Amino acid sequence: MDQPRIAFIGSGVMGASTAGHLLDAGHSLSVHTRTRSKAEKLLARGATWADSPGEAVAGADVVISIVGYPQDVEQIYLEKGGILDRLDSGCLAIDMTTSSPRLAREIAKQGVGRGIEVLDAPVSGGDKGAREAKLSIMVGGESKAFDRALPILQLLGANIQLQGPPGSGQHTKMCNQIAIASGMVAIGESLAYAKAANLDPETVLLSISSGAAGSWSMSNLVPRALAGDCAPGFYVKHFIKDMGIALRSAEEMSLDLPGLAMAKRLYDQLAANGHEDEGTQALFRMYLEK
Amino acid sequence: MDQPRIAFIGSGVMGASTAGHLLDAGHSLSVHTRTRSKAEKLLARGATWADSPGEAVAGADVVISIVGYPQDVEQIYLEKGGILDRLDSGCLAIDMTTSSPRLAREIAKQGVGRGIEVLDAPVSGGDKGAREAKLSIMVGGESKAFDRALPILQLLGANIQLQGPPGSGQHTKMCNQIAIASGMVAIGESLAYAKAANLDPETVLLSISSGAAGSWSMSNLVPRALAGDCAPGFYVKHFIKDMGIALRSAEEMSLDLPGLAMAKRLYDQLAANGHEDEGTQALFRMYLEK
């Protein structure tokens, strides 16, 4: 059987690595991205350029998108001449953007009407996970579409789970971000206390990071913050986007999440102070500098 | 050189294992505990019984205490005929109770006046860490006293850190509990969201627990809660005690910790609903049953 032809929309940090793995595996790739220069490396490796998402998907069997914000997802999928308009019936669309569960359901529903299978498949694992093809991929959609997507997703991730019907991948990503959010506040308050008590935060970390207080964020992000390194692994502005989606989605389900709301307010404040292009560990600097 | 004679005060879950390691290492041990029956196993292994903390420390070189609440620590150390009253000048006292930093400083100060070295040395690692002698021990006090205590502490723990002057061990334990507290809220809200979104929490956990949202609490406590197992690894009532100490201590330092305060309110509610003798993972049941 021929390898499916893949259209790839978006080539930010995550998209570039991801699309690279597909080329490595021998897929023919048509690429569209808002800023063409970001696609040059892929084009140099044999991908073909398309001037629009709609043009990219013409003749493709599968489209994979990983763009910035829900409004970008809405535009590339639902606009006139966009993906759902131009993708052939019988094809498969996989949106890996972290986006709104409600929008994911809407796109899947419109896909059904056009004979297009749609999966929402946001990821976690960051730039490192994308580079090493070790992403966790959280998938929402029909199991038939999931089975069809699996050989492709296995080129990109190490932990691929079908979480439920359309929107469930996005919902699961929200669970992930919610768990991170108050966890960052928890660590921030712990650092603020350490500082107020005249402790040395690095020595405190030696005592607490390997036990019941331990977490990925504590082990990976606190050392960066203590070293004054606020370079983005994950951008403050993107985390704020995700927390906003989670809060709106929770509100739609009449669910009150005060811990998440508190974390969002703190990150909003951090962004307002000019740190939106730093990594999420910048929050710890705010606690340490108070 | 002879092994120092050790007085051991308290034999709850943590104390019993801890004192057992000291016996294993050949120390002669005098033991006092509020409920004598809890000391029987130690007495059967050669420890001698003392009717009071003051009596236990008579003739001892070192006293180690691990009791319940700060008021218990205050009583056994500072009451007339208590530890500081009866312990010989030149001896060493190590309080491993999780207690108030201010009280730890007060006991250390009174110790100086009597020629007694005092360390605060609370632990984390739970009953398992105590049994396996793999506790993390967070020590506050003078470095000379720390060096003297180290051979004993190494019988009990795997991660032993001098964190600073008297009170610093307790302060570090508070950092540990603060990091856990909002972290539990974070996970609880994530589970509440999962439930509201009709996701299967176990499948969500498969996607999120090994990545950036991962933590000791998520990996160790969520599976117990999902299995309906609220047996205490760490009691709700003890966690509430610790959060109370942390909040009071923060207030003394004019430090506002709204995330911790929120966690404390939720655990107070859990206790008011009759769950104070369950493990801290009972909070997750509250979120899942809402």
Side-chain angles (χ1 to χ4, degrees):
Chain A
M1 199 179 83
D2 281 352
Q3 291 268 44
R5 288 157 302 173
I6 299 177
F8 201 95
I9 316 299
S11 61
V13 176
M14 301 298 288
S17 301
T18 304
H21 296 310
L22 300 173
L23 284 173
D24 290 343
H27 286 282
S28 85
L29 214 64
S30 65
V31 175
H32 173 76
T33 161
R34 202 145 50 180
T35 312
R36 179 170 170 151
S37 60
K38 290 192 179 173
E40 290 300 346
K41 278 190 185 163
L42 295 171
L43 300 177
R45 294 179 55 199
T48 59
W49 174 254
D51 278 328
S52 72
E55 192 183 300
V57 303
D61 303 299
V62 174
V63 54
I64 297 177
S65 55
I66 183 160
V67 295
Y69 291 82
Q71 55 265 39
D72 303 320
V73 175
E74 184 169 3
Q75 191 186 345
I76 64 174
Y77 275 90
L78 301 182
E79 72 178 354
K80 235 182 150 55
I83 292 173
L84 291 191
D85 236 18
R86 301 282 298 273
L87 193 62
D88 288 337
S89 176
C91 288
L92 172 66
I94 307 170
D95 181 38
M96 305 186 84
T97 317
T98 295
S99 174
S100 138
R102 192 161 50 85
L103 177 60
R105 286 195 302 271
E106 175 62 26
I107 293 171
K109 195 177 132 197
Q110 294 204 22
V112 169
R114 295 160 188 265
I116 295 167
E117 295 183 304
V118 179
L119 296 172
D120 50 298
V123 302
S124 77
D127 50 346
K128 187 163 178 278
R131 259 195 325 274
E132 298 174 358
K134 288 189 174 160
L135 293 169
S136 170
I137 309 180
M138 299 156 253
V139 187
E142 305 304 326
S143 64
K144 198 162 74 59
F146 177 77
D147 293 343
R148 183 176 174 191
L150 201 52
I152 295 172
L153 297 180
Q154 283 166 338
L155 300 172
L156 313 176
N159 180 9
I160 303 157
Q161 304 288 341
L162 178 61
Q163 291 287 348
S168 300
Q170 297 299 349
H171 275 315
T172 303
K173 180 67 186 279
M174 292 304 117
C175 291
N176 190 74
Q177 304 306 72
I178 293 166
I180 292 174
S182 297
M184 296 297 283
V185 173
I187 297 168
E189 291 195 353
S190 179
L191 291 171
Y193 184 103
K195 190 196 170 204
N198 286 314
L199 300 172
D200 172 46
E202 309 214 7
T203 311
V204 171
L205 217 59
L206 286 179
S207 279
I208 75 174
S209 64
S210 59
S215 64
W216 187 96
S217 295
M218 187 182 280
S219 296
N220 289 276
L221 298 180
V222 174
R224 291 190 212 170
L226 292 179
D229 171 11
C230 288
F234 185 52
Y235 281 106
V236 165
K237 63 186 176 190
H238 290 160
F239 194 33
I240 289 173
K241 171 199 82 163
D242 293 357
M243 289 188 281
I245 294 171
L247 283 169
R248 274 189 299 280
S249 180
E251 203 184 328
E252 289 165 15
M253 303 187 292
S254 304
L255 180 68
D256 191 28
L257 299 177
L260 175 62
M262 183 189 294
K264 170 83 159 42
R265 282 195 302 275
L266 288 162
Y267 271 100
D268 283 340
Q269 186 184 330
L270 190 65
N273 291 341
H275 302 279
E276 66 170 13
D277 288 323
E278 294 181 357
T280 52
Q281 73 273 23
L283 189 75
F284 301 150
R285 299 289 333 156
M286 190 167 89
Y287 278 104
L288 287 165
E289 285 159 13
K290 257 205 267 213
Chain B
M1 199 181 82
D2 282 350
Q3 291 267 45
R5 288 157 301 174
I6 299 179
F8 201 95
I9 315 299
S11 60
V13 176
M14 301 298 288
S17 300
T18 303
H21 296 310
L22 299 173
L23 283 174
D24 290 342
H27 286 282
S28 85
L29 213 67
S30 65
V31 174
H32 173 75
T33 159
R34 203 147 48 182
T35 313
R36 179 169 170 153
S37 60
K38 290 193 180 171
E40 290 301 346
K41 277 191 188 164
L42 295 171
L43 300 179
R45 293 179 54 199
T48 59
W49 174 254
D51 279 329
S52 72
E55 191 183 301
V57 303
D61 303 300
V62 175
V63 55
I64 297 177
S65 56
I66 183 160
V67 293
Y69 292 81
Q71 56 264 40
D72 303 320
V73 175
E74 186 169 1
Q75 191 186 344
I76 64 173
Y77 276 90
L78 301 181
E79 72 177 354
K80 233 182 153 53
I83 293 173
L84 291 191
D85 236 17
R86 301 282 298 272
L87 193 62
D88 289 338
S89 177
C91 288
L92 171 66
I94 307 170
D95 180 38
M96 304 186 84
T97 317
T98 295
S99 174
S100 138
R102 191 161 50 85
L103 177 60
R105 285 196 302 273
E106 175 62 25
I107 294 171
K109 196 177 131 198
Q110 295 204 21
V112 169
R114 296 161 187 263
I116 295 168
E117 295 183 305
V118 179
L119 296 171
D120 50 298
V123 303
S124 77
D127 49 348
K128 187 163 178 281
R131 258 195 325 274
E132 298 174 357
K134 289 188 175 160
L135 293 169
S136 170
I137 309 180
M138 301 156 251
V139 187
E142 304 306 324
S143 64
K144 197 161 76 56
F146 178 76
D147 294 342
R148 183 176 173 190
L150 201 52
I152 295 172
L153 297 179
Q154 282 166 339
L155 300 172
L156 313 177
N159 180 8
I160 303 158
Q161 304 288 340
L162 178 61
Q163 291 287 348
S168 300
Q170 298 298 349
H171 275 315
T172 302
K173 180 67 187 281
M174 292 304 116
C175 291
N176 189 74
Q177 304 306 71
I178 293 166
I180 292 174
S182 298
M184 295 297 283
V185 173
I187 297 168
E189 291 195 353
S190 179
L191 290 171
Y193 184 102
K195 190 194 170 203
N198 286 315
L199 300 172
D200 171 46
E202 308 215 7
T203 312
V204 170
L205 216 60
L206 286 178
S207 279
I208 75 174
S209 64
S210 59
S215 65
W216 187 96
S217 296
M218 186 182 280
S219 295
N220 289 276
L221 299 181
V222 174
R224 293 189 211 171
L226 292 179
D229 171 12
C230 287
F234 185 51
Y235 282 106
V236 165
K237 61 186 175 188
H238 291 160
F239 195 33
I240 289 174
K241 171 200 81 163
D242 293 357
M243 289 188 282
I245 294 170
L247 283 169
R248 274 190 299 279
S249 179
E251 201 184 329
E252 289 165 15
M253 303 186 293
S254 304
L255 181 67
D256 191 28
L257 299 177
L260 175 62
M262 183 188 293
K264 169 82 160 44
R265 282 195 303 276
L266 288 161
Y267 271 100
D268 283 340
Q269 186 183 330
L270 190 65
N273 292 340
H275 301 279
E276 68 170 12
D277 287 323
E278 294 181 359
T280 52
Q281 73 272 22
L283 188 76
F284 301 150
R285 299 290 332 157
M286 190 166 90
Y287 278 103
L288 287 165
E289 285 158 14
K290 257 204 267 215

